[in-house]
Amino acid sequence: MLKINSEQCQIKSTNFNHRKVSSIPLFLVVLAVFIFSAYSFFDGHSSRYRHFIFLTNTYKEKYENSTNTPQGIERYRPFFDKTPNLFDYLISYYSGNFYAGTKYSIYLTILFAFAFAFAFGYALYITGKSVFIGPYPILVLDRKRNLLYTWENKKVYVARYEDAGYAAPSNNLFIKLFTFNTDKNRLDTILFQPNASVHSSLFLSEEYENNAFISFINAYMQKGREAITDHDFESEPLKFYFGSYEPPVDVDEQIARTLNQLDKEKPVDAQHS
């Protein structure tokens, strides 16, 4: 439970456990690989830059006043009068004159940089969004209005308590809820998977857990909070979470439209049954 009182009970979805078991570890792995890869790239160039300075100083001491300098060493002569800076090193490195096989590597480096930034940027965005923003759907048991509803992407999905559909394929419990699609003038559905099992982060549940959860819903909706607990309860919010648990501002209007459409379609369903 996320929250329970005499009017409402809020149930977490499997996303809450999925965040702890999968999303956070995956985000940390992607972040660690990103940092390690970036560090390896810059550390490699840093090491070669220091080695470039070392060679320059070594050749300066040995060949500065020499008139018979080997061709390979002659390339270092422009740096005998100054310590090469990082820009000098990079120009020298990518020229191919100082390091074998690097003449055209500037293009590979640019390609690698773009691919690296895009791949890791996208991975960090997806995993970071899952960790810090969600979505983390909540099933609301509204005892006052006799409704079950949730929301996702500012869309509210609802069903009356007595009309809510349940399914448990492979023992995974789902609750069928509806929303009115104003663009297509029809009802759309969503299957809400409650956090009803200790295995919910792995999308697994046991039959007895599903039955217990349905019994929980029935007990609360029919008998009230007292059938569950003798006091109001609200769990601690997720740590390092910047999303919102609040429903859309027009939640009541969306519920009314959807229930109105459900009532219109009931006689049609009855005729075909």
Side-chain angles (χ1 to χ4, degrees):
M1 286 190 303
L2 182 66
K3 177 181 179 181
I4 186 171
N5 55 42
S6 59
E7 293 186 352
Q8 281 191 359
C9 178
Q10 297 182 357
I11 307 297
K12 300 175 182 178
S13 74
T14 56
N15 295 38
F16 281 76
N17 265 4
H18 187 71
R19 176 185 192 258
K20 179 175 62 177
V21 174
S22 302
S23 297
I24 292 178
L26 184 59
F27 172 77
L28 293 176
V29 167
V30 172
L31 181 62
V33 173
F34 170 79
I35 294 174
F36 177 78
S37 300
Y39 172 79
S40 297
F41 176 79
F42 289 110
D43 183 63
H45 272 294
S46 178
S47 297
R48 284 190 289 269
Y49 173 48
R50 292 193 298 269
H51 187 62
F52 186 79
I53 294 175
F54 170 77
L55 289 177
T56 300
N57 293 332
T58 300
Y59 295 149
K60 177 182 178 181
E61 293 177 4
K62 188 173 182 179
Y63 297 105
E64 183 176 18
N65 299 318
S66 174
T67 58
N68 187 25
T69 308
Q71 183 178 359
I73 307 304
E74 189 66 27
R75 299 189 184 103
Y76 288 86
R77 186 172 291 279
F79 305 111
F80 284 177
D81 297 329
K82 66 171 185 174
T83 300
N85 56 36
L86 184 60
F87 182 74
D88 292 329
Y89 156 73
L90 290 175
I91 293 297
S92 302
Y93 177 84
Y94 286 113
S95 69
N97 295 325
F98 294 81
Y99 296 87
T102 62
K103 186 174 182 180
Y104 300 105
S105 61
I106 182 63
Y107 304 109
L108 294 177
T109 301
I110 293 173
L111 180 62
F112 169 78
F114 275 107
F116 178 85
F118 175 79
F120 279 97
Y122 183 73
L124 285 172
Y125 168 75
I126 293 298
T127 56
K129 181 180 179 182
S130 177
V131 172
F132 300 113
I133 301 177
Y136 291 97
I138 298 165
L139 178 67
V140 177
L141 312 181
D142 191 327
R143 189 166 185 269
K144 186 176 181 180
R145 294 187 290 179
N146 207 38
L147 300 175
L148 276 63
Y149 66 89
T150 188
W151 57 91
E152 188 172 346
N153 297 325
K154 298 183 179 181
K155 271 288 199 180
V156 179
Y157 297 83
V158 62
R160 290 188 176 89
Y161 163 59
E162 62 271 16
D163 297 330
Y166 302 92
S170 302
N171 279 339
N172 292 316
L173 180 65
F174 295 92
I175 300 175
K176 187 177 182 180
L177 303 172
F178 305 87
T179 189
F180 181 64
N181 188 324
T182 54
D183 296 329
K184 298 182 179 180
N185 195 36
R186 71 180 189 192
L187 288 173
D188 291 336
T189 62
I190 191 174
L191 295 176
F192 181 92
Q193 188 174 14
N195 201 11
S197 169
V198 294
H199 309 296
S200 59
S201 59
L202 304 176
F203 302 104
L204 300 172
S205 58
E206 302 292 341
E207 184 176 0
Y208 77 90
E209 291 174 311
N210 297 335
N211 293 336
F213 183 74
I214 299 301
S215 297
F216 172 88
I217 292 179
N218 291 333
Y220 177 78
M221 295 299 287
Q222 295 174 15
K223 300 177 182 178
R225 187 210 67 191
E226 291 73 17
I228 308 299
T229 178
D230 59 359
H231 61 278
D232 291 352
F233 168 80
E234 187 168 354
S235 67
E236 291 290 329
L238 291 175
K239 297 184 184 303
F240 303 108
Y241 176 68
F242 307 104
S244 175
Y245 295 142
E246 299 302 317
V249 293
D250 62 341
V251 56
D252 292 331
E253 290 83 350
Q254 290 195 49
I255 288 175
R257 285 198 300 268
T258 302
L259 293 179
N260 181 57
Q261 187 66 23
L262 282 169
D263 290 339
K264 287 181 179 179
E265 295 190 10
K266 268 187 179 180
V268 175
D269 292 340
Q271 290 174 9
H272 290 283
S273 60

